[in-house]
Amino acid sequence: MRVALFIPCYVDLISPEVGVSVFRVLRSQGVEVVYPEGQTCCGQPAFNSGFFKEARGAARHFLDVFGGERFDYVVCPSGSCTTMVSHYYPFLFRELPEDLERAESIGGRVREFSDFLSNVLGAEEFGARLEGRAVFHCGCHQRRELGVLEEPQRILRNVEGLQLVGWENEELCCGFGGTFSVKMPEVSVAMADEKIRALEKSGADTLVSCDPSCLLHLKGRLDRTGHGVRVLHLAQVLDPRRGRVG
Amino acid sequence: MRREEFLENIRHRTRYGRYKPTKAPDASWTPGRRAAAREIGDPAARFLEELEALGGHGRRVGGLEEARDYVVGLARSSGARLLVRWDVEELERLGADGPLREAGVEVAVWRELEDFREVAGRADIGLSTAEWAIAETGSLVLESGPGKGRAVAILPPTYVAVVPVERLVRTVSEAIRMYAKRNSLPQNLCFHTGPSRSGDIEQSLATGVHGPGEVHVLLVD
Amino acid sequence: MEKTGERARREGIESGVEGFNERARRALADPELHDSIALFTRKTLKGRAARLAELPDAPGLRERAYHIKQETMANLDRYLAQMADAVEERGGNVFFAETGEDVVRYVGELARKKGAKVITKSKSMATEEIELNRRLEEEYGELELEVVETDLGEWIAQLAGDAPSHIVAPIMHMNRRQIARVLSRVAGEPLPPDVRALAGFARRRLREKFLAADIGISGANFGVAETGTICLVTNEGNGRMVTSIPPVHVVVMGIEKLVPRFEDLEVFVQLLARNGTGQKLTVYTSFITGPRGADELDGPEEFHLILMDNGRSKLLGTEFEEALYCIRCGSCLNVCPVYRQTGGHAYGSTYSGPIGAVITPLLKGDREAKDLPHASSLCAACWETCPVGIPLHDLLLKLRSRQVEEGLAGKAQEIAFKGFEEAVEHPAAYRAGARLGRLVQRPLVRDGSVRRLPPPLSGWTDFRDLPPLAERSFRELWREGID
């Protein structure tokens, strides 16, 4: 099994440790991992802002970079960026048959991290151990477009020492929404605060997600408001070397 | 705008290409627990259960005599002074007019009324029958027509319907399909489901806001 | 010199989202509003989930609804003609209204002809859309018409001078104390903030109007082409009063409300009630076909059907056509995390929530509602809940794109995304940008996070911390080798 890593730009630049954990988990499963170094950003910020032409430019770059590699799957530690490639590249190219064919061919092989572990490798138990009481936040693209909701939670339930609890209105968006978080900051933050109130009510000390962007937003608000909640990407929970670095 | 022009604009626009969307997710449409979907066993029992759940009063009675006693008893106990009823054969057979008048309740029949607004607006009780009753929802199916005033079921604060039990249908779909096959529909057809209600104020249930707050249905064997 | 208001409006357009943000800020500062919305959505969504679970095949029903609407729109001219013929055959009148102005004129002239004084109305978003009440009173002032909303919520909104804030629950934004204040003013005596007392007062007051009305105006939840029937769903009974007691019944119906066959209502009536209010069926689900028969005592002697376009036909055959499939159940509002923070008034339009953010610019033009397509985190909860499967989040994206094509996104954004594309297409530029960022951020980092950035990024840092760019990117770590 050969996998090409798709590391979203903000993971690359802001939280590379998530990418490192993804790599380690995949490696521990005997997967051959390559990282196409020409990758940059999938284009979602432009797309979500309505700049479709610019987003198409980014999409073509992505397809060039990954089209030049040999792989069985592309794996990405973000439900949102996965959706951008698997669902919204075909949407962007719906009237451009040549691009569309390429987008569908690569898009069909892009898998979100937990989706890949569970549905491709058939692995949900990684011998991970983490003390705490956790809630899982499912990013909206992952929940609604990808429909990968149960898999990460099953994986988390197998983590020794970790108690996964439900939380109020867990289907609600965290308020990130890409450029929405900057264009409509007050509403975006009110949405985050709603999540944080639910988190407090649940009594959890740990927040886990498969979407680093939701975590960036929620952690940013948690930190600003003085909450001491531990915020982790699923890959960091499963990382076989966690605790030894960082 | 002239009809032809209006329609031509629409005709012109519908001739463009079509866009095919992605399929909406089923997550919130296929809840994990499906226990709530239940069969309708005994339609009459289900009808009564549904009606009660909506705050209505339902009873299955052995015959017209029992129905008549119920109506008269209700009028008496509620201190009604005027009852307005449909002018239909079945309510003639019910024979409640005499006993009601004896009990001091004036009875107005929906026939050549001078001012239906005044009469129905003053009435304490409206009495009708129903074309059908729907078990799944506790609904009455009311048709307008000669003798079958709409206002009877809407203006008085208390509304009573006497319905033969064999007029029960099981589901809303069944009722709608029945009318879909008809050549001609009544001017007014109404699926009337429980007491008038409003949740406009803080989602708190207020009954009898405009229509009857009290609904009684007698299913007659 | 330019007026302040004009400048603000122009700048609002330039910065993209001014109007919504301003109104949203007001809403967010109102804890009572927040509680009202939370109460409403919690109850409604709980009911919806229970009612959907009872259906043997809810997804199948939604699928049918989508396809029926698709077929309707593809043949709308034919179905409209069929509907009009059927109504006329039953002795009703049909009027094709291109604009809201046409509707106002038709109703105004009808009122004049009838010498009408009192008009009762049952809840209708179509007439809200064209502000029928206000315009009748202004443009036909000499008739001294009294136009009375009779849905409890709409009536209270009318008395309070408020616009409805929800398609289904117009005064969802008010609590019982606020409502009591409004009604006490009308009663001329203090009414207690008690639901029964308030509803009782409404019943007495509106009863007089129902009986006195010369014309009743309703909307239509659905119109059946085959039979000329309009279907109206209400709970209070006001709809039944308005359509049964006055001698004249006028229906104002958007052309998209059509369904081809009576049997199609089996799908829509159930979807609307279960999805919108969490009921199996509303209390009064009425099917009205033409005026009353000659041998009937009540019911309208005259029946007028106004088929209103008002911008709808522009959507036909375009990639926005699905917005016309909407049955106005309000469910997308209830699940929308933005709506749940701000309520309906923040949208500044008749229709709020995701469907409002979609159809307002489509009906009125992008410039008139420039901020609305951005009032969404694109979480797609609207799409998931929609009983006819409208891809609302995709339509929002397409509207954003249309704004860019029309040059409405503003110079700043145009430059920013041009630069974005350059960087993304050229990995060397992307990496150089990252290096530069690391340098520039140094004075901004305190205790491991960035607390202040200049606009537009201050939108982030005013409220949240931002981790700084990592010392080494993933690519660099990869090249070094990960152990």
Side-chain angles (χ1 to χ4, degrees):
Chain A
M1 177 80 69
R2 190 178 156 95
V3 155
L5 275 186
F6 161 24
I7 301 296
C9 53
Y10 52 92
V11 173
D12 179 38
L13 300 178
I14 296 178
S15 41
E17 65 278 6
V18 171
V20 170
S21 294
V22 168
F23 169 68
R24 288 186 184 140
V25 173
L26 293 177
R27 186 178 58 186
S28 76
Q29 296 298 304
V31 175
E32 186 193 346
V33 183
V34 294
Y35 174 71
E37 290 190 30
Q39 63 183 287
T40 53
C41 169
C42 63
Q44 190 168 190
F47 175 65
N48 280 0
S49 298
F51 286 81
F52 284 11
K53 191 175 83 53
E54 289 75 4
R56 277 187 204 106
R60 286 193 185 105
H61 175 75
F62 182 97
L63 296 173
D64 287 345
V65 170
F66 282 85
E69 280 287 347
R70 190 175 53 78
F71 56 80
D72 300 302
Y73 290 96
V74 174
V75 173
C76 173
S78 157
S80 184
C81 299
T82 302
T83 304
M84 181 64 206
V85 177
S86 64
H87 285 58
Y88 286 109
Y89 280 8
F91 176 92
L92 274 172
F93 293 127
R94 63 195 185 281
E95 281 154 20
L96 301 164
E98 259 175 52
D99 293 298
L100 183 62
E101 200 190 324
R102 217 156 55 114
E104 283 178 339
S105 145
I106 291 178
R109 285 182 289 162
V110 178
R111 294 301 187 98
E112 181 276 325
F113 176 65
S114 68
D115 183 17
F116 178 76
L117 295 180
S118 173
N119 297 320
V120 178
L121 297 182
E124 293 188 344
E125 159 69 65
F126 298 86
R129 196 186 149 75
L130 183 71
E131 291 299 327
R133 188 177 160 90
V135 290
F136 175 73
H137 170 67
C138 190
C140 296
H141 279 133
Q142 173 149 358
R143 173 188 297 274
R144 303 201 173 88
E145 271 92 345
L146 302 180
V148 181
L149 175 61
E150 296 302 325
E151 292 85 342
Q153 300 189 61
R154 283 201 302 267
I155 292 171
L156 281 172
R157 277 192 206 96
N158 288 332
V159 173
E160 203 190 321
L162 193 69
Q163 188 196 356
L164 185 66
V165 296
W167 52 330
E168 214 169 68
N169 298 329
E170 58 178 72
E171 77 288 352
L172 278 183
C173 172
C174 72
F176 174 63
T179 48
F180 172 76
S181 64
V182 177
K183 284 185 178 167
M184 298 193 166
E186 289 94 344
V187 182
S188 164
V189 164
M191 287 158 70
D193 287 344
E194 186 100 42
K195 299 302 283 185
I196 292 172
R197 277 195 295 277
L199 196 149
E200 279 180 321
K201 229 170 141 182
S202 75
D205 53 28
T206 305
L207 169 67
V208 184
S209 177
C210 294
D211 263 292
S213 55
C214 304
L215 292 180
L216 189 73
H217 173 62
L218 287 171
K219 184 170 188 321
R221 186 60 182 169
L222 283 164
D223 287 352
R224 179 62 61 92
T225 52
H227 286 77
V229 176
R230 181 168 51 175
V231 177
L232 294 170
H233 187 277
L234 178 69
Q236 294 173 294
V237 177
L238 303 181
D239 188 341
R241 291 182 64 88
R242 183 173 39 79
R244 269 172 277 182
V245 282
Chain B
M1 198 183 219
R2 277 170 38 245
R3 167 176 163 151
E4 287 68 31
E5 221 179 309
F6 188 97
L7 292 178
E8 182 48 43
N9 166 48
I10 286 167
R11 187 161 26 248
H12 173 71
R13 290 179 185 275
T14 54
R15 297 299 177 258
Y16 285 93
R18 324 246 105 223
Y19 153 75
K20 290 272 177 289
T22 41
K23 200 168 164 330
D26 280 345
S28 79
W29 287 81
T30 45
R33 294 176 292 278
R34 305 299 305 277
R38 48 192 271 260
E39 294 291 309
I40 297 163
D42 173 11
R46 179 67 180 271
F47 177 90
L48 297 175
E49 183 193 325
E50 294 288 340
L51 183 62
E52 296 281 343
L54 295 167
H57 307 280
R59 183 180 291 187
R60 188 165 180 172
V61 296
L64 280 180
E65 204 164 307
E66 203 181 330
R68 182 189 63 212
D69 292 347
Y70 184 98
V71 173
V72 176
L74 177 71
R76 196 178 271 150
S77 67
S78 64
R81 278 176 304 190
L82 173 62
L83 177 147
V84 61
R85 73 162 174 87
W86 278 8
D87 180 23
V88 290
E89 164 68 29
E90 280 160 297
L91 294 182
E92 293 294 332
R93 271 191 279 124
L94 180 70
D97 297 4
L100 280 168
R101 286 181 180 125
E102 273 165 39
V105 183
E106 191 192 335
V107 176
V109 180
W110 199 261
R111 183 195 307 148
E112 289 160 14
L113 294 174
E114 186 112 331
D115 181 354
F116 80 84
R117 286 182 186 81
E118 192 274 329
V119 174
R122 194 160 50 83
D124 305 294
I125 300 179
L127 173 65
S128 83
T129 175
E131 251 25 76
W132 309 99
I134 306 173
E136 183 189 23
T137 51
S139 309
L140 297 164
V141 179
L142 306 176
E143 288 183 13
S144 69
K148 301 196 280 194
R150 299 152 184 80
V152 170
I154 189 84
L155 284 175
T158 299
Y159 168 54
V160 187
V162 179
V163 189
V165 74
E166 61 271 15
R167 302 244 183 102
L168 272 165
V169 297
R170 302 177 93 82
T171 63
V172 173
S173 294
E174 211 178 310
I176 289 180
R177 283 182 199 171
M178 212 159 53
Y179 282 96
K181 286 194 199 108
R182 293 247 191 119
N183 285 329
S184 181
L185 292 165
Q187 192 270 337
N188 192 303
L189 174 68
C190 181
F191 292 2
H192 179 300
T193 312
S196 148
R197 61 156 70 199
S198 173
D200 275 347
I201 303 176
E202 287 190 3
Q203 288 293 287
S204 296
L205 183 63
T207 50
V209 179
H210 293 309
E214 230 185 274
V215 172
H216 300 255
V217 179
L218 303 170
L219 294 177
V220 187
D221 270 310
Chain C
M1 219 178 94
E2 197 180 20
K3 278 193 213 139
T4 327
E6 278 169 15
R7 191 166 60 238
R9 196 161 58 238
R10 191 171 47 78
E11 283 168 2
I13 285 172
E14 200 55 36
S15 67
V17 290
E18 203 54 40
F20 182 87
N21 270 340
E22 188 52 46
R23 292 184 297 266
R25 266 192 285 276
R26 276 201 296 276
L28 290 171
D30 181 351
E32 281 192 324
L33 174 65
H34 190 267
D35 290 348
S36 296
I37 299 170
L39 177 77
F40 173 80
T41 49
R42 192 176 61 242
K43 286 195 179 181
T44 309
L45 292 176
K46 197 173 152 214
R48 169 189 180 269
R51 295 290 88 78
L52 282 185
E54 286 165 357
L55 288 172
D57 182 21
L61 213 54
R62 181 177 51 163
E63 192 88 29
R64 274 178 71 191
Y66 182 88
H67 289 295
I68 292 168
K69 278 292 177 186
Q70 196 170 39
E71 188 217 333
T72 309
M73 295 310 154
N75 301 286
L76 192 60
D77 56 325
R78 197 158 56 76
Y79 288 130
L80 281 170
Q82 195 185 5
M83 170 116 198
D85 289 345
V87 168
E88 281 167 359
E89 202 170 298
R90 287 286 295 245
N93 305 288
V94 179
F95 177 65
F96 288 89
E98 192 191 359
T99 63
E101 185 54 41
D102 293 344
V103 176
V104 176
R105 234 178 305 126
Y106 186 88
V107 176
E109 292 307 323
L110 183 67
R112 189 198 305 281
K113 206 169 89 193
K114 296 286 161 194
K117 288 285 163 235
V118 179
I119 296 181
T120 46
K121 279 185 69 204
S122 120
K123 200 175 123 38
S124 147
M125 291 307 288
T127 61
E128 286 287 342
E129 175 187 324
I130 60 171
E131 293 182 87
L132 180 65
N133 301 3
R134 181 184 64 74
R135 289 166 74 177
L136 275 179
E137 277 163 21
E138 278 176 22
E139 292 166 36
Y140 289 85
E142 73 278 12
L143 301 183
E144 290 175 6
L145 289 171
E146 188 186 356
V147 185
V148 189
E149 292 291 344
T150 63
D151 171 83
L152 180 58
E154 284 277 344
W155 184 56
I156 293 166
Q158 186 183 34
L159 294 173
D162 247 358
S165 65
H166 188 286
I167 295 173
V168 174
I171 52 158
M172 180 268 257
H173 59 284
M174 294 168 101
N175 62 33
R176 68 182 77 195
R177 291 178 305 282
Q178 295 165 321
I179 293 165
R181 280 200 291 277
V182 173
L183 293 188
S184 295
R185 216 177 52 221
V186 178
E189 56 170 327
L191 297 172
D194 168 73
V195 175
R196 281 176 74 102
L198 298 172
F201 173 71
R203 179 181 170 103
R204 289 189 299 278
R205 262 309 158 90
L206 287 171
R207 182 54 68 97
E208 301 160 17
K209 305 297 175 194
F210 285 127
L211 296 177
D214 306 294
I215 296 177
I217 298 179
S218 77
N221 293 95
F222 308 103
V224 183
E226 172 187 59
T227 57
T229 303
I230 69 139
C231 174
L232 209 57
V233 309
T234 70
N235 275 314
E236 295 170 4
N238 63 312
R240 206 151 152 68
M241 301 258 192
V242 166
T243 60
S244 298
I245 298 173
V248 179
H249 176 198
V250 178
V251 181
V252 182
M253 177 177 130
I255 52 171
E256 83 284 13
K257 296 277 180 169
L258 268 185
V259 298
R261 299 153 293 264
F262 194 84
E263 66 181 44
D264 298 330
L265 292 176
E266 167 199 348
V267 175
F268 289 102
V269 159
Q270 301 199 66
L271 282 177
L272 180 55
R274 287 177 191 265
N275 220 61
T277 53
Q279 292 172 286
K280 289 173 185 157
L281 216 52
T282 56
V283 178
Y284 300 96
T285 303
S286 296
F287 309 89
I288 297 164
T289 313
R292 79 187 196 201
D295 41 10
E296 293 185 70
L297 280 182
D298 63 357
E301 293 155 34
E302 279 183 31
F303 177 85
H304 299 259
L305 173 65
I306 302 177
L307 293 164
M308 179 175 87
D309 184 338
N310 206 34
R312 288 161 173 75
S313 64
K314 278 187 301 197
L315 277 60
L316 290 167
T318 74
E319 58 181 356
F320 295 104
E321 183 180 282
E322 285 157 305
L324 296 176
Y325 297 5
C326 175
I327 61 171
R328 308 279 188 267
C329 72
S331 192
C332 61
L333 282 61
N334 304 341
V335 298
C336 176
V338 172
Y339 180 90
R340 281 161 72 152
Q341 294 300 332
T342 66
H345 288 155
Y347 293 77
S349 53
T350 304
Y351 304 102
S352 58
I355 186 65
V358 168
I359 57 173
T360 307
L362 288 173
L363 296 182
K364 295 179 119 181
D366 290 334
R367 273 166 213 278
E368 297 303 311
K370 191 169 164 296
D371 42 358
L372 292 190
H374 301 276
S376 163
S377 63
L378 300 174
C379 78
C382 45
W383 174 46
E384 181 180 49
T385 200
C386 178
V388 286
I390 304 171
L392 286 155
H393 62 313
D394 284 354
L395 296 177
L396 288 168
L397 277 162
K398 289 176 183 173
L399 281 166
R400 292 180 186 185
S401 163
R402 195 166 85 168
Q403 287 187 358
V404 172
E405 282 164 22
E406 288 166 347
L408 293 175
K411 267 281 163 277
Q413 277 203 89
E414 283 175 13
I415 292 164
F417 283 109
K418 200 73 228 145
F420 168 85
E421 191 190 358
E422 282 301 312
V424 167
E425 287 172 359
H426 301 95
Y430 165 84
R431 287 197 287 273
R435 276 195 301 276
L436 181 67
R438 264 179 234 152
L439 222 69
V440 170
Q441 77 180 358
R442 274 197 195 138
L444 301 169
V445 179
R446 213 177 292 161
D447 299 333
S449 50
V450 180
R451 304 265 166 92
R452 258 173 80 178
L453 286 171
L457 294 174
S458 56
W460 181 283
T461 51
D462 283 351
F463 305 96
R464 328 160 180 87
D465 288 0
L466 185 69
L469 296 171
E471 275 311 309
R472 280 172 303 169
S473 68
F474 179 79
R475 180 175 172 277
E476 286 161 302
L477 293 173
W478 175 267
R479 300 199 108 185
E480 288 166 18
I482 298 167
D483 63 353

